Amino acid sequence: MNDHLNGTQPFPATETVWNHTFRDRYAKQWEAALNWMQRELERLAAERDALRGNTAEWRQERRELLRRLSGAGLFAAETENVRLLPGDNPGSFHYEISLSNGLMFTGSLTIPEQLHPSGVVLLASEFDDSAAELTERDYIRQGYAVIRPFLARQTFSYKDHEQRRWYKYEDHELIQFFSFICGGSLAGLEAFVLHTAVHEVKQLLKRPKLPVIVEASGRHLLPAAVMCALYPGTASVLMLDEQAGRLNRQQDDVRANTIWSFHRSFDALTLFQLAEGTSLMFVEEGNTPSALAAQTIYWFESLEKDGGGARKAMRVQREKAQQALSELLASQAAVDQGQSHYAENGWEAPTVADGEKRTADERYRIYLDSVLALLEKLHEQAAERKRVRYDIRSIGLDEYKKRIRQSLIAVMGEPLPKSEQPNIRTRRVTDHQNAQLNLTVYDLYEVLLESVPGVETAGYLLMPKGSGPFPAVICQHGLTGRPEDVIGFSHKRASYYRMANVLAEKGYAVYVPFMNWGWGGMPGRDRLAKHAYALGITPNRFEVAQLAVIVDFLQSRKEIIPDRIGFYGLSYGGHASVWLGANEPRLAAVVTSGHFNNWHKKLTSTEAVRPHHAPYSYICVNEGMDMFTYDVLNHLGHAEMTTVHVPRPFMAENGIYDAVAPVPWVEEEFAKVKDAFAQAGAEQNAELDLFNGGHRVWGERSFLFLHKHLLPPK
């Protein structure tokens, strides 16, 4: 007997020890996927440089694209009221800016006593950062007014809130994820916050021509640069430190700094190009400029040679920054030559009653509460838009399915390129575990395939004895699981019911894939997600490509019936069955175990559904950022994804004690599934099994379901 499947290549010499090098497939696939995305980012960077434009039309087109991708327009609204309240020290004030959409922006304004200010400094930093406080005092001494807006903190602010205390994300990540799922970002919100603070404070001071210096650091570099790009003319000078290079590496930045598809069209220099009227000052240590500073200065100098150098880019050492700033403002004639004292300009310091005094934490909470309230409203509006979008009775079945396909592209990005040569390699397993696994019933093979160019996928194939042909099932494990758990190698995973082994004994060819989910824990998943989102794709686009090549492989085998291939996944494998199944029309039946949900509630709800005493939505468990898919609330739920190929049979299997998928959420979403199948005249093809158990494969009605739809008629 061959040690590999006919028509495939044997394993290379480096893969000759069973379950030794083969077991590290997750590490290899994860690294290969990451390398592919890094190469794609480098390709896009070269493409941007080669096609970089600088016409008014090009800048406007890029600005509108940035506004859409960042979601800044989601938060924009008219100002209804501005209040300036006295602070704790002479010349210090608190501002409150009320907007027509319910947002309330708060922060502080400090004015140099008895001085005509040289300009306004906008400090984009952590409000309680001691270094920023020293910077503020230094600017005040030099005669600048200083605005410090409240921006999202790296803290948990809702520990005392009846419902929001369940949130497991710090404020800045909470806002990012809640914005992201309805088409926005934290950077888009905070860009608007910064712009509004500058505009309204200058109006309050009755000095609209005062130059504005924006100084940003750390996480706040991105929203500050986006603000200058989206609202040209707001800032006279943008000051950047040594960390400014992170604008070119969003994929390596913190989770909260994520703009969908950013690096397909943008880099730091693009943002600087859009920031018309804003000069740039790189404040760095030492004598050698950073790569970004050198690139930017060179580009600005080329503009000046072409007669377009109305603004400057320079690099200065930190100790010379203030002098250079004064000289830059003077050279641009940017200093407002108004009256020497505010009182002479009709401005009077405000007063406040004792009952209106608030602490800094209280003022921050006002801002944060208003943002969360608006986001919750946006979530509900998105749900209503999705309901109308998929009103199958009014649009018809064909249009319904067409819209779902369009939404899959909008939410997941374009499909990845397919490898021209899958380079199929197999090896029959013949080791001491065979007797334990009763391999007289089936042969067990290890399989290596190439899906995306340079990215291999691996798996186990369980091929029943006999001539066949056999129906096939792809069995996918969950988060932190392994294929060995599904087959039965591992005694730690009773929740999988040895499903692959059982199905193989029942006469199915079974493929158990290695996929990237869960490898490396949350940091590994987040890193893949950050790179993918920077490219405008979801991480599971790689799994879609892997599934496609797996189906190709199974359909190519004469031992397998090509149109009777099913998919069965538990937990994160259930997530795969929903998302991957929606993208693979060749599957003949799909079973989702322990995952099918009302996706809106599963992402955002703080409801504790009985018999559970705590909420288990993803905003309350912090399993990683990959669940929070861009603009998904406007586009897709589980009902839509599991019915895009209706009347293809679908089954949801769920334990009544399973916290991952609370029964009421499962039932209300499945009602939509039944309705879509009914419209297709195939209501009998949709089944729901709510069994008396927890988070596991049950395998009773689900196996009967597979027999019904995959076994050939006798």
Side-chain angles (χ1 to χ4, degrees):
M1 178 182 291
N2 289 339
D3 64 352
H4 61 280
L5 284 168
N6 291 332
T8 67
Q9 297 297 316
F11 268 40
T14 55
E15 300 275 8
T16 56
V17 181
W18 174 64
N19 246 0
H20 178 65
T21 54
F22 197 72
R23 281 181 62 89
D24 72 357
R25 279 295 143 190
Y26 277 119
K28 292 181 178 180
Q29 289 179 181
W30 182 91
E31 184 176 7
L34 188 66
N35 288 339
W36 186 92
M37 288 190 285
Q38 289 172 338
R39 290 193 300 271
E40 182 69 2
L41 287 166
E42 291 171 0
R43 184 189 69 80
L44 289 171
E47 187 176 277
R48 281 195 309 268
D49 286 340
L51 300 176
R52 190 178 300 281
N54 195 37
T55 64
E57 293 78 10
W58 181 88
R59 291 193 298 273
Q60 186 58 29
E61 181 271 330
R62 280 291 185 270
R63 194 172 288 122
E64 289 305 315
L65 179 61
L66 179 61
R67 192 182 312 278
R68 178 172 62 83
L69 294 178
S70 69
L74 291 176
F75 308 102
E78 295 295 323
T79 298
E80 289 191 334
N81 187 44
V82 181
R83 299 179 69 203
L84 197 61
L85 309 173
D88 300 327
N89 302 305
S92 69
F93 304 92
H94 309 307
Y95 65 79
E96 296 178 355
I97 304 172
S98 304
L99 278 67
S100 59
N101 58 3
L103 286 174
M104 174 79 82
F105 298 159
T106 60
S108 71
L109 168 66
T110 307
I111 301 171
E113 290 187 87
Q114 306 302 322
L115 286 177
H116 176 68
S118 304
V120 174
V121 174
L122 176 65
L123 281 184
S125 63
E126 295 295 329
F127 197 88
D128 52 359
D129 183 359
S130 58
E133 292 176 0
L134 292 174
T135 301
E136 177 183 19
R137 289 198 290 270
D138 192 38
Y139 276 118
I140 294 297
R141 283 195 297 269
Q142 297 178 64
Y144 293 95
V146 177
I147 303 172
R148 294 186 65 189
F150 278 112
L151 303 173
R153 291 173 169 175
Q154 298 181 33
T155 188
F156 297 93
S157 291
Y158 288 111
K159 293 179 180 179
D160 60 341
H161 194 280
E162 182 178 0
Q163 289 299 117
R164 292 174 179 167
R165 63 190 173 94
W166 297 108
Y167 291 151
K168 287 296 188 293
Y169 291 93
E170 294 177 342
D171 298 350
H172 65 305
E173 293 181 338
L174 173 66
I175 294 177
Q176 166 62 28
F177 294 152
F178 270 1
S179 299
F180 203 64
I181 58 177
C182 60
S185 69
L186 178 62
L189 165 66
E190 293 189 341
F192 182 61
V193 171
L194 297 175
H195 165 70
T196 303
V198 169
H199 180 268
E200 299 302 337
V201 166
K202 287 173 67 175
Q203 294 298 316
L204 271 178
L205 298 179
K206 300 184 180 180
R207 302 292 294 281
K209 295 183 180 180
L210 275 175
V212 175
I213 301 95
V214 178
E215 181 169 333
S217 61
R219 182 188 68 74
H220 306 286
L221 282 164
L222 180 62
V226 170
M227 185 271 286
C228 292
L230 288 181
Y231 308 101
T234 297
S236 304
V237 182
L238 174 60
M239 300 183 71
L240 303 157
D241 62 13
E242 292 90 344
Q243 299 180 65
R246 68 198 302 176
L247 294 170
N248 281 336
R249 301 187 304 276
Q250 188 179 107
Q251 67 275 14
D252 298 318
D253 210 339
V254 296
R255 289 196 295 191
N257 273 1
T258 300
I259 296 177
W260 173 254
S261 195
F262 183 80
H263 285 312
R264 284 211 169 273
S265 302
F266 298 96
D267 60 0
L269 186 54
T270 307
L271 296 180
F272 300 156
Q273 288 179 260
L274 301 182
E276 296 174 79
T278 302
S279 293
L280 303 172
M281 182 177 291
F282 292 87
V283 182
E284 302 176 341
E285 302 288 351
N287 297 316
T288 305
S290 64
L292 179 58
Q295 179 196 28
T296 305
I297 292 169
Y298 175 81
W299 187 81
F300 270 62
E301 287 176 348
S302 67
L303 282 186
E304 194 168 21
K305 291 177 182 177
D306 294 335
R311 53 194 177 120
K312 304 290 184 182
M314 64 177 65
R315 187 230 182 226
V316 299
Q317 292 178 313
R318 190 166 301 280
E319 62 271 16
K320 300 178 180 178
Q322 294 300 332
Q323 178 182 350
L325 177 61
S326 298
E327 293 173 355
L328 176 61
L329 293 176
S331 69
Q332 294 184 338
V335 177
D336 178 17
Q337 302 297 326
Q339 287 83 357
S340 61
H341 194 277
Y342 291 110
E344 299 175 17
N345 202 33
W347 183 83
E348 295 180 1
T351 59
V352 62
D354 290 341
E356 293 183 298
K357 290 183 178 179
R358 299 186 179 98
T359 66
D361 286 344
E362 288 171 337
R363 286 182 282 117
Y364 170 69
R365 186 65 173 266
I366 290 172
Y367 162 67
L368 186 63
D369 286 347
S370 75
V371 172
L372 264 294
L374 177 60
L375 286 170
E376 289 164 354
K377 181 179 178 181
L378 293 175
H379 292 171
E380 293 306 314
Q381 291 173 349
E384 177 59 19
R385 279 193 290 272
K386 185 163 72 68
R387 186 194 66 78
V388 172
R389 177 176 174 82
Y390 297 118
D391 184 357
I392 194 170
R393 287 176 172 78
S394 65
I395 64 176
L397 184 60
D398 289 342
E399 179 65 19
Y400 171 83
K401 295 164 75 170
K402 176 183 176 182
R403 292 184 181 187
I404 297 172
R405 291 192 296 269
Q406 291 171 340
S407 284
L408 286 168
I409 299 294
V411 169
M412 300 180 71
E414 295 289 343
L416 301 185
K418 187 175 182 179
S419 180
E420 295 181 1
Q421 296 294 332
N423 190 21
I424 306 169
R425 289 142 290 162
T426 63
R427 178 175 57 200
R428 183 173 176 271
V429 174
T430 55
D431 80 302
H432 67 279
Q433 296 192 44
N434 289 359
Q436 177 186 348
L437 294 174
N438 192 20
L439 288 182
T440 57
V441 180
Y442 58 82
D443 289 321
L444 178 66
Y445 292 89
E446 295 168 338
V447 182
L448 290 176
L449 310 163
E450 184 172 281
S451 51
V452 177
V455 182
E456 289 182 342
T457 182
Y460 293 101
L461 175 64
L462 287 67
M463 187 69 78
K465 290 288 188 179
S467 59
F470 309 104
V473 180
I474 300 165
C475 293
Q476 178 61 54
H477 64 75
L479 188 65
T480 74
R482 296 190 59 86
E484 294 84 5
D485 305 331
V486 178
I487 299 172
F489 292 168
S490 167
H491 299 287
K492 302 176 182 178
R493 303 296 184 187
S495 58
Y496 291 107
Y497 186 50
R498 296 171 52 249
M499 57 191 294
N501 186 48
V502 172
L503 285 167
E505 291 177 350
K506 292 180 180 294
Y508 292 88
V510 181
Y511 192 91
V512 188
F514 286 76
M515 291 193 183
N516 292 320
W517 298 307
W519 190 88
M522 192 163 62
R525 289 169 56 206
D526 279 352
R527 193 168 185 209
L528 284 181
K530 282 287 293 182
H531 279 72
Y533 290 164
L535 287 167
I537 58 174
T538 52
N540 57 11
R541 267 297 179 199
F542 285 94
E543 281 70 49
V544 170
Q546 288 174 319
L547 178 59
V549 75
I550 290 168
V551 174
D552 288 345
F553 165 65
L554 295 177
Q555 288 188 332
S556 73
R557 303 302 307 172
K558 64 180 180 58
E559 306 95 329
I560 294 174
I561 306 172
D563 61 350
R564 293 181 181 270
I565 300 172
F567 194 107
Y568 194 148
L570 169 68
S571 192
Y572 219 131
H575 180 272
S577 71
V578 172
W579 288 83
L580 277 59
N583 286 275
E584 183 47 81
R586 294 175 294 174
L587 296 175
V590 173
V591 178
T592 299
S593 183
H595 183 77
F596 183 83
N597 255 301
N598 177 320
W599 199 232
H600 185 133
K601 291 183 177 179
K602 183 60 183 175
L603 290 177
T604 66
S605 177
T606 55
E607 176 187 5
V609 182
R610 291 183 178 182
H612 310 288
H613 302 289
Y616 290 98
S617 66
Y618 286 117
I619 203 67
C620 297
V621 296
N622 194 0
E623 284 195 353
M625 65 184 296
D626 53 321
M627 288 297 183
F628 296 93
T629 310
Y630 176 72
D631 207 19
V632 67
L633 296 189
N634 279 301
H635 283 280
L636 292 170
H638 283 185
E640 290 76 42
M641 287 187 280
T642 53
T643 58
V644 64
H645 300 302
V646 67
R648 182 178 72 187
F650 169 73
M651 180 177 189
E653 174 186 67
N654 200 80
I656 61 176
Y657 300 106
D658 189 345
V660 172
V663 169
W665 299 359
V666 175
E667 290 179 324
E668 61 184 310
E669 191 73 3
F670 195 78
K672 302 176 187 176
V673 172
K674 290 290 287 186
D675 188 44
F677 273 83
Q679 293 299 311
E683 192 171 2
Q684 71 282 359
N685 284 0
E687 297 187 30
L688 172 62
D689 183 18
L690 297 174
F691 61 86
N692 186 22
H695 190 61
R696 58 161 297 169
V697 167
W698 196 241
E700 292 185 0
R701 280 183 58 187
S702 59
F703 282 8
L704 293 175
F705 174 84
L706 292 174
H707 296 341
K708 175 182 176 181
H709 296 291
L710 295 184
L711 288 179
K714 295 182 180 180

